[in-house]
Amino acid sequence: MRDLRRRLVSHVIMMLCVLSVALALIPLALVLFYVVSRGISSLSWTFFTRMPAPVGEPGGGMANAIVGSLLVTGIGALFAIPVGVLAGIYAAEHRGTRLASAVRFAADTLNGVPSIVIGVFAYSVAVLPFQRFSAVAGGLALGIMMLPLVTRTAEELLLLVPASLREGALALGATRARAVFTVVVPAALPGILTGVLLALARVAGETAPLLFTAFNNRFFTTDVRQPVSTLTVQIYTYAISPYEDWHRQAWAGALVLVALVLTCSLLARVVTARMERMRVG
Amino acid sequence: MIGSRPRSDDWLFRVGTGIFAVLVIGVVSAIALELYRESRLSLHEFGWRFWQTDVWDPVAGEFGARPFIWGTLYSSVLALLIATPIALGIAVCISELAPRPLQRPLVFLTELLAAIPSIVYGLWGIFVLVPLVRQLEVHTPDWLRALPLFKGPPVGVGMLSAAIILSIMVIPFTSSIAREVLRAVPQSQREGAYALGATRWEAIRMALFYARTGIIGAVMLGFGRALGETMAVTMVIGNTPQISLSLFAPQYTMAAVIANEFAEAAADLYLHALVEIGLVLFVITLVINVISRAFIWSLGRPARARRTRTAAAPALESA
Amino acid sequence: MKRTILVGIATAALAAVTLAAQGLQINGAGATFPAPLYTKWFAEYNRLHADVRVNYQPVGSGAGIQQMIKKTVFFGASDAPMTPEQLQSAPGRILHFPTVLGAVVPVYNVPGVAQELKFTGDLLSNIFLTKITKWNDPQIAKLNPGVNLPAADITVVHRSDGSGTTYIWCDFLAKVSPEYKKTVGVATSVKWPANTIGGKGNEGVAGLVSQTPGAIGYVELIYALQTKIAYGAVQNSSGKFVKATPESVTAAASAAAAQMPADFRVSITNPPGDAAYPASSFTWLLLYEDPPDKKQGKAVVDFVKWALTDGQKFAPDLGYAPLPKSVVDLELKALARIKVQ
């Protein structure tokens, strides 16, 4: 009798576990469904080629915002990748030193800092002193957000490279730097790139740190010293507006953004899977 | 000459990469310093009073941040209440129940939840979730709406919408770490339990208990995430500074008030008050992250070898 | 894949460097109140002068003033004149130029009510103080006989950002209700009563009102027209109920135009006159007397001249009232003060 009850409880709880998966997948399905269905019906070629139209004028697109998003994310990567990878190399190669632990701690801390706070920081160091909103300021904010992801991935993946590889290189008379840059880093590179890709995917979807750094721009610009429009900020502006036209644009923008971000994640996953097969095989 | 070369080279390598290591630390310190520097006025003017008063009145120069910290804590706690059981259920389901070929797609799907940008959740929140919540509120019977928990006009935007959106966003973080933590539990634990005649749930409960510190860490990390979330919350919470238990009441969070008011804070004191909110947000998330990491790490590094399998995981996990 | 990323980054960097110079871009930010007209103006002006691109971001009057003081934007825009303290905290002398007139209207979303509602200033202040909480309150019913008002809760929607629209609205309500003046006050951001909800920008408020049954808010006229949200008539100082139109706003400005102060900072809410709409206001462009960049300064001065003359014809279509001729003449004189050489 008691056994039966125990077994029943076990079954019920297992069912609840399965149910919780379903519960999490419902919002996922709903979000994707709305983004795709509303996005597709509002998406057209002009969306990619035109600038935003004034209210009341039909048409218009987000060409400037798409380019702006790439621009700002690119600037962020330009800053975060070298700094992050090199700091990661330090942390991996000098494991156990105080500085290495400090880097790890700093990166983890940075990772937890809310994005809006990073926006405030970027505003006060990259907007106020130069008295202008700019793509660079937005890029800096995104770069800071990418930094911990890149640093930690680089470190973790470098540590996974078998010690024998490095020792072999050192035994052949290579200097430490040489061994690291010609043998260890290349071995870990695919993994690091995966991490970078995921970091890019994550910051490309950020809005809060751009609100008062990259600001917004009605025009197409690739001048990094000018304010620039980004997909996310544009979606935000359109989403809270009262205009039907703009809502449609927001959904179309969301579709493009989600497609962009998911492609990055998927790509990373494919690379990971291929790496694994190589390692196993 | 030749003998000394490797050493100087090594030194160069150490310094060369060390500079960048210091730079990473520098960025964090600079953020902390800048936040402090930009909030001095408010810190000195109000002191602790800042967090004990409710009046946010830019006209009179009176700034009390209690409603914001309340809104942030309340929405995050509610989100955790919803998210934690679901996230743990998912972790158990994936690591203990699902057949092997199903595990990977399930991991992928739950992690997709984390990949969707905050602004997209916000957009969805405004046009899909909020109308649904409004319907729910309208159809709440009057005797329920008399309770403090459900007081206020049925607007749709408000605490409940915010908590739901937050919980959806937190689930993937908590569940992915809980999953890793569960994996780190030695298989012998479960086998021992089964040998003693335990049911599946009893064996899993044992594993959960064994991994309890890690699980607490996972939940706290989700909490830290919820505290700092900005866009999706701003778009659905109603942006009204008030302290209310009601799930239906529009409220405000720390991150949201910065997003809305930072660019326009005219007086220095106003600006410093906003930055002080940012500073406190920074400190709270820092503390929570440190504690939760300590919890997770106390289990030993969970399944280091397994991480290679999902090289994608570190970025997501540490996120 | 590594290559793709590197190529991508390199192209972005290259594009950034090579295309750095693309004519003159001028950045401005501020009020959302005149934003539909400004966007139109800048688009039209860009058609006439392809080399001048003005990027105007409607972030709210409060933000416009603040970013102007911080000099992160070249010009600001506000529907609330800058306060003496704000003017003092700016690093240079800032001049105000009225560009057009507009009206703030009470917009509402009352289920089942198709008719136009009438409000008095007193009633509106009581609603916005949340002293009246139901749509079928006798005070509302008394003014609107024959309208079948539901027993629905009133939800007050206001601006969550610093706003000149808020300033105009509160300026009007504070003139008719001492209690409103005391509890809420007059500024670009004020202290709202509990259980009211905030939206960002005129767009945000209009969006919230149209999506929330039982809501009442205040927006610039054009936002009500464009989104087809119902808005009410408001009683003016002569006791007449007036709907906001370009004509009723012009009527409100006529008294003020005769005695315009030299710095153009003037409030025209609750003006005298039978035809005047009570919640009317000028909206201002903010410029430094000694602009940091002369080339941009020259371009903006040319633009303002165009906006004050040729540009005025775009105003009525968008629900704004053109400036009285006498004000335009004063401004054209004042523009000469800006040092562009």
Side-chain angles (χ1 to χ4, degrees):
Chain A
M1 192 57 210
R2 228 188 121 223
D3 251 27
L4 194 72
R5 226 194 74 200
R6 280 173 52 211
R7 213 143 284 164
L8 202 70
V9 167
S10 179
H11 275 296
V12 168
I13 290 180
M14 292 308 109
M15 297 273 271
L16 285 178
C17 285
V18 176
L19 185 75
S20 61
V21 173
L23 267 180
L25 294 186
I26 289 171
L28 177 69
L30 276 178
V31 170
L32 290 180
F33 170 77
Y34 276 98
V35 166
V36 171
S37 68
R38 295 227 183 154
I40 279 192
S41 63
S42 321
L43 206 56
S44 65
W45 186 238
T46 53
F47 183 84
F48 296 98
T49 55
R50 292 273 176 81
M51 303 293 125
V55 181
E57 288 180 24
M62 288 202 201
N64 55 343
I66 295 171
V67 172
S69 272
L70 295 179
L71 185 67
V72 173
T73 316
I75 294 171
L78 231 46
F79 161 73
I81 295 175
V83 176
V85 170
L86 285 167
I89 290 177
Y90 182 89
E93 288 296 313
H94 302 92
R95 211 173 165 72
T97 63
R98 216 174 271 168
L99 186 55
S101 336
V103 170
R104 212 165 297 129
F105 178 78
D108 286 344
T109 302
L110 199 51
N111 208 343
V113 177
S115 56
I116 185 81
V117 172
I118 289 175
V120 169
F121 172 71
Y123 175 82
S124 59
V125 300
V127 173
L128 277 187
F130 306 102
Q131 299 195 326
R132 52 171 38 180
F133 296 100
S134 66
V136 173
L140 177 73
L142 293 191
I144 293 175
M145 298 209 63
M146 280 181 76
L147 191 55
L149 301 174
V150 176
T151 308
R152 295 290 275 138
T153 322
E155 186 208 345
E156 303 223 342
L157 284 146
L158 286 171
L159 285 174
L160 288 175
V161 175
S164 54
L165 264 180
R166 170 182 319 145
E167 277 153 18
L170 288 174
L172 286 174
T175 60
R176 183 105 180 253
R178 195 139 212 214
V180 168
F181 284 114
T182 59
V183 178
V184 182
V185 171
L189 202 56
I192 296 177
L193 282 175
T194 313
V196 167
L197 216 53
L198 282 171
L200 278 173
R202 184 176 154 211
V203 300
E206 281 295 343
T207 316
L210 299 177
L211 286 176
F212 20 82
T213 53
F215 210 48
N216 202 341
N217 195 333
R218 292 192 51 79
F219 296 95
F220 182 89
T221 182
T222 47
D223 185 346
V224 296
R225 298 162 306 169
Q226 287 291 346
V228 67
S229 178
T230 51
L231 264 177
T232 48
V233 173
Q234 200 63 23
I235 294 173
Y236 177 57
T237 314
Y238 282 172
I240 60 173
S241 81
Y243 312 114
E244 280 295 325
D245 281 357
W246 284 15
H247 293 167
R248 274 200 292 279
Q249 294 267 314
W251 284 107
L255 177 61
V256 173
L257 183 65
V258 167
L260 219 88
V261 166
L262 291 193
T263 312
C264 268
S265 309
L266 273 175
L267 219 80
R269 220 147 257 284
V270 170
V271 175
T272 319
R274 189 168 296 168
M275 262 166 51
E276 231 172 88
R277 227 170 295 136
M278 271 160 57
R279 205 161 286 170
V280 173
Chain B
M1 186 67 194
I2 290 169
S4 73
R5 221 185 91 207
R7 207 186 296 152
S8 75
D9 199 279
D10 190 37
W11 179 83
L12 204 73
F13 172 67
R14 195 180 178 128
V15 171
T17 52
I19 288 171
F20 292 95
V22 172
L23 194 61
V24 174
I25 300 166
V27 167
V28 180
S29 326
I31 293 177
L33 218 75
E34 194 62 33
L35 289 177
Y36 171 73
R37 217 173 55 85
E38 295 278 318
S39 60
R40 291 182 323 269
L41 283 183
S42 160
L43 286 165
H44 291 157
E45 172 86 23
F46 302 115
W48 282 110
R49 202 152 47 91
F50 190 67
W51 302 100
Q52 291 163 347
T53 50
D54 301 346
V55 180
W56 186 261
D57 187 350
V59 186
E62 265 307 305
F63 298 100
R66 204 165 63 156
F68 304 112
I69 204 161
W70 162 261
T72 296
L73 291 177
Y74 193 37
S75 60
S76 302
V77 167
L78 285 173
L80 278 199
L81 287 180
I82 306 172
T84 306
I86 298 179
L88 292 186
I90 293 172
V92 167
C93 188
I94 290 178
S95 66
E96 313 278 330
L97 300 178
R100 263 207 154 281
L102 254 184
Q103 281 185 5
R104 208 158 227 258
L106 280 179
V107 169
F108 174 70
L109 282 176
T110 46
E111 277 175 7
L112 264 192
L113 274 177
I116 292 175
S118 166
I119 185 78
V120 176
Y121 279 116
L123 180 70
W124 180 78
I126 289 184
F127 294 106
V128 183
L129 182 68
V130 165
L132 282 176
V133 169
R134 187 182 308 127
Q135 282 310 308
L136 178 82
E137 291 176 1
V138 168
H139 291 106
T140 305
D142 283 346
W143 60 270
L144 258 182
R145 285 190 49 196
L147 297 178
L149 204 53
F150 303 105
K151 266 215 163 68
V155 187
V157 292
M159 187 50 81
L160 185 58
S161 298
I164 293 174
I165 287 258
L166 271 180
S167 68
I168 299 174
M169 300 179 75
V170 162
I171 285 173
F173 289 96
T174 310
S175 82
S176 92
I177 295 169
R179 203 175 63 232
E180 290 291 318
V181 167
L182 274 177
R183 271 189 187 160
V185 177
Q187 201 55 36
S188 58
Q189 277 279 326
R190 300 180 184 89
E191 279 155 15
Y194 285 130
L196 289 172
T199 60
R200 215 163 184 185
W201 161 237
E202 283 161 349
I204 291 170
R205 199 173 54 188
M206 216 165 223
L208 282 172
F209 184 74
Y210 182 89
R212 62 192 178 281
T213 50
I215 302 278
I216 295 172
V219 173
M220 285 188 66
L221 218 54
F223 188 59
R225 197 84 209 159
L227 290 176
E229 178 48 47
T230 314
M231 296 318 292
V233 175
T234 310
M235 291 163 88
V236 300
I237 201 168
N239 300 331
T240 301
Q242 59 178 331
I243 296 179
S244 163
L245 259 185
S246 172
L247 297 178
F248 294 179
Q251 297 186 34
Y252 222 148
T253 68
M254 296 161 79
V257 73
I258 302 176
N260 274 329
E261 298 186 8
F262 183 72
E264 72 195 35
D268 280 344
L269 187 60
Y270 187 5
L271 191 70
H272 281 229
L274 282 170
V275 179
E276 182 177 348
I277 293 179
L279 177 67
V280 170
L281 204 52
F282 175 82
V283 173
I284 294 179
T285 47
L286 174 78
V287 170
I288 284 185
N289 274 299
V290 168
I291 297 176
S292 59
R293 266 167 224 285
F295 270 122
I296 297 170
W297 286 56
S298 72
L299 269 182
R301 278 227 76 177
R304 160 158 293 288
R306 279 179 185 272
R307 286 203 168 190
T308 49
R309 294 241 180 97
T310 49
L316 261 182
E317 257 162 45
S318 51
Chain C
M1 189 196 64
K2 158 176 88 180
R3 201 157 294 162
T4 355
I5 293 179
L6 288 179
V7 169
I9 292 169
T11 343
L14 215 74
V17 177
T18 49
L19 294 172
Q22 304 168 313
L24 195 57
Q25 172 158 334
I26 301 163
N27 294 302
T32 57
F33 178 102
L37 178 63
Y38 283 8
T39 323
K40 180 85 185 158
W41 272 354
F42 295 131
E44 287 296 328
Y45 196 70
N46 185 235
R47 256 165 233 165
L48 296 172
H49 305 267
D51 53 327
V52 181
R53 303 194 304 173
V54 186
N55 171 37
Y56 180 73
Q57 290 302 319
V59 289
S61 294
I65 291 172
Q66 183 56 16
Q67 297 310 322
M68 183 70 185
I69 293 172
K70 295 258 163 81
K71 284 193 163 177
T72 56
V73 290
F74 190 79
F75 67 91
S78 176
D79 325 314
M82 288 174 70
T83 63
E85 298 84 60
Q86 286 168 342
L87 285 170
Q88 242 159 41
S89 65
R93 196 189 173 92
I94 293 176
L95 303 179
H96 289 62
F97 291 95
T99 50
V100 77
L101 290 140
V104 182
V105 298
V107 285
Y108 49 83
N109 175 353
V110 190
V113 173
Q115 299 96 320
E116 174 190 313
L117 294 180
K118 288 184 179 136
F119 299 97
T120 61
D122 199 43
L123 170 63
L124 285 168
S125 69
N126 281 335
I127 292 176
F128 277 82
L129 286 166
T130 62
K131 282 166 69 185
I132 296 178
T133 58
K134 295 276 185 199
W135 276 108
N136 61 353
D137 189 279
Q139 286 195 54
I140 304 178
K142 200 177 74 195
L143 289 175
N144 297 284
V147 180
N148 189 16
L149 292 158
D153 287 322
I154 298 180
T155 304
V156 171
V157 180
H158 57 76
R159 290 281 291 270
S160 64
D161 53 338
S163 148
T165 314
T166 301
Y167 179 90
I168 298 164
W169 191 240
C170 293
D171 189 38
F172 164 55
L173 294 184
K175 279 184 187 170
V176 294
S177 158
E179 189 188 350
Y180 191 90
K181 188 171 187 173
K182 214 177 96 228
T183 17
V184 178
V186 182
T188 51
S189 16
V190 294
K191 193 185 80 203
W192 293 102
N195 273 320
T196 55
I197 56 181
K200 194 168 180 350
N202 267 300
E203 306 94 319
V205 170
L208 276 171
V209 170
S210 61
Q211 281 166 38
T212 312
I216 184 167
Y218 55 91
V219 295
E220 212 289 327
L221 175 60
I222 184 66
Y223 291 89
L225 294 174
Q226 280 177 344
T227 53
K228 303 191 175 56
I229 309 177
Y231 63 97
V234 183
Q235 190 181 42
N236 65 18
S237 58
S238 329
K240 298 273 191 309
F241 288 93
V242 182
K243 262 205 125 169
T245 57
E247 293 74 37
S248 63
V249 174
T250 306
S254 55
Q259 34 192 284
M260 187 56 118
D263 62 359
F264 300 109
R265 291 162 61 223
V266 63
S267 157
I268 58 165
T269 54
N270 213 25
D274 276 1
Y277 181 74
S280 308
S281 175
F282 286 104
T283 180
W284 293 267
L285 216 62
L286 308 172
L287 293 171
Y288 277 105
E289 185 176 45
D290 188 8
D293 181 319
K294 302 299 171 201
K295 225 169 112 196
Q296 292 190 35
K298 174 92 173 52
V300 170
V301 168
D302 286 345
F303 163 77
V304 175
K305 277 182 188 155
W306 175 85
L308 292 176
T309 51
D310 294 352
Q312 293 290 314
K313 67 170 180 282
F314 296 104
D317 276 353
L318 289 168
Y320 298 92
L323 294 170
K325 177 88 177 52
S326 58
V327 177
V328 172
D329 291 342
L330 284 173
E331 284 191 73
L332 290 174
K333 257 180 239 146
L335 270 175
R337 285 174 58 193
I338 292 181
K339 303 190 180 86
V340 291
Q341 301 299 325

